[in-house]
Amino acid sequence: MRVGIYFDMRNPPPWRQSWSRVYGFALEMCEEADRLGIDSVWFSEHHGFEDGYLPQPLTMAAAAAARTRRIRLGTAVIPAPLHAAPEIAEQAALVDIISDGRLDLGLGTGYRVPEYRLYDADLTKRYSTTDQRVREIRGLWAESLVTPGPVQDPLPIWLGYQGPQGARRAGRLGTGLLSLNPALLEPYREGLAESGYDMSAGRMQGSFTTFVTEDPEGDWPVVRKHLSYQWDSYRRYMVEGTDQPAPRPINPEKWRETGLSATGVGQFLYGTPQETADAIKAYVAGLPVEGVFLWASLAGMPEEMVARQVQLIAGKLRPLLADV
């Protein structure tokens, strides 16, 4: 199993730094991850967050590509309906060229009303539009309608669909499924079969919100503050622009007690490398998993903690997952 790390480039008001330092440090961590043997680094996309959430993941991936040699680079995810197919196809091809064939292109629908308004896109057609983007991007590369084309042929495309209908759609398109939800395996395989793909073509990959530590008690007072900010902001932005009420703040103590929460906004892992590895193994058992990627930083976390997290993932956690 490949083991990667994940950045969203948040710079929250309570811990605000210069933007140049935020991006510079993340690129330093990409270089360190490359040096330490971590398999992949992933970047995500949102627009209009108060903390400046990364708006252009392929631009960040290009910068990381220029400063690394072997680590794979992924997007998790680009909201495809917000962008024209030629734009995605051209930018992805350039990242693949700069990296000499190390890009994994993760696409999804997005969900935020303000983002769809910003880009003048139709939220009600987000699934059909995302499906169409996959077809268009493949066609643009296959027919050399955008140049230069990517190094990889084919360049891996993943769909970040989280529900059963989305998983079936990913299967029909023959893409990888950017989710680790065991409940999605069967509909994903059904979609593969519907389009004539062999079941062995199915592959899954996904993220866990994680903090790996050798001192769970000592680190928790800091971790809980950054975890609370991160997930409370996600939950707040999920309903922004709708008539839904703002959700109550999360209780990080309850999340920690649960250990692995597979409901609500995502999965959260907290513990030693061995505890984290055991939880990951149990969760993905029986799935055609190519890799997992873990948060390197939780919303403005101190640099020294992020650096230690990257080192622990590389040196302690990754070897424990090598045989999965």
Side-chain angles (χ1 to χ4, degrees), residues 45-47 55-58 77-89 91 107-108 116 119 121 129 133 136-137:
E45 175 179 343
H46 275 298
H47 301 272
Q56 297 293 336
L58 284 170
V77 292
I78 295 169
L82 305 187
H83 305 281
E87 174 196 352
I88 299 172
Q91 290 190 19
L107 304 175
Y116 270 78
Y119 278 84
T129 302
R133 290 291 183 272
E136 291 170 342
I137 290 166

Side-chain angles (χ1 to χ4, degrees), residues 104-166:
D104 285 280
L105 181 62
L107 304 175
T109 63
Y111 57 84
R112 287 190 66 225
V113 171
E115 293 178 343
Y116 270 78
R117 289 175 179 163
L118 179 66
Y119 278 84
D120 194 25
D122 189 345
L123 185 67
T124 66
K125 297 179 179 178
R126 61 191 182 277
Y127 286 98
S128 60
T129 302
T130 300
D131 289 354
Q132 184 62 23
R133 290 291 183 272
V134 173
R135 299 185 188 99
E136 291 170 342
I137 290 166
R138 285 173 168 170
L140 290 167
W141 288 335
E143 299 173 36
S144 298
L145 296 176
V146 297
T147 57
V151 172
Q152 299 177 92
D153 184 17
L155 191 154
I157 295 179
W158 300 79
L159 277 171
Y161 286 161
Q162 299 305 312
Q165 291 301 318

Side-chain angles (χ1 to χ4, degrees), residues 100 202 208 256 260:
D100 194 22
F208 290 101
R256 184 185 177 190
L260 173 61

Side-chain angles (χ1 to χ4, degrees), residues 54 85 93 95 134 145 150 156 171 174 224-225 250 297 303-304 308:
L54 177 63
V95 175
V134 173
L145 296 176
R224 72 185 306 277
K225 291 189 299 183
I250 68 163
S297 174
E303 289 182 357
E304 62 272 17
R308 182 156 32 98

Side-chain angles (χ1 to χ4, degrees), residues 90-101:
E90 288 177 340
Q91 290 190 19
L94 284 180
V95 175
D96 206 48
I97 290 166
I98 294 168
S99 67
D100 194 22

Side-chain angles (χ1 to χ4, degrees), residues 32-55:
E32 180 73 350
D34 191 47
R35 184 185 71 81
L36 293 173
I38 287 176
D39 299 295
S40 61
V41 58
W42 296 75
F43 306 104
S44 50
E45 175 179 343
H46 275 298
H47 301 272
F49 276 33
E50 67 175 359
D51 52 32
Y53 199 117
L54 177 63

Side-chain angles (χ1 to χ4, degrees), residues 207-284:
S207 68
F208 290 101
T209 303
T210 315
F211 191 79
V212 183
T213 173
E214 293 183 306
D215 183 9
E217 295 305 319
D219 284 333
W220 181 244
V222 177
V223 171
R224 72 185 306 277
K225 291 189 299 183
H226 295 275
L227 174 69
S228 295
Y229 174 89
Q230 178 164 309
W231 282 115
D232 283 342
S233 66
Y234 265 133
R235 286 153 55 83
R236 193 169 67 246
Y237 284 125
M238 285 176 72
V239 301
E240 187 180 20
T242 74
D243 57 5
Q244 299 180 50
R248 289 184 175 184
I250 68 163
N251 180 349
E253 302 300 334
K254 184 175 291 186
W255 274 40
R256 184 185 177 190
E257 290 168 7
T258 305
L260 173 61
S261 171
T263 60
V265 292
Q267 302 92 12
F268 172 57
L269 296 177
Y270 180 78
T272 65
Q274 185 65 61
E275 291 168 340
T276 305
D278 290 345
I280 291 173
K281 288 179 181 180
Y283 192 75
V284 305

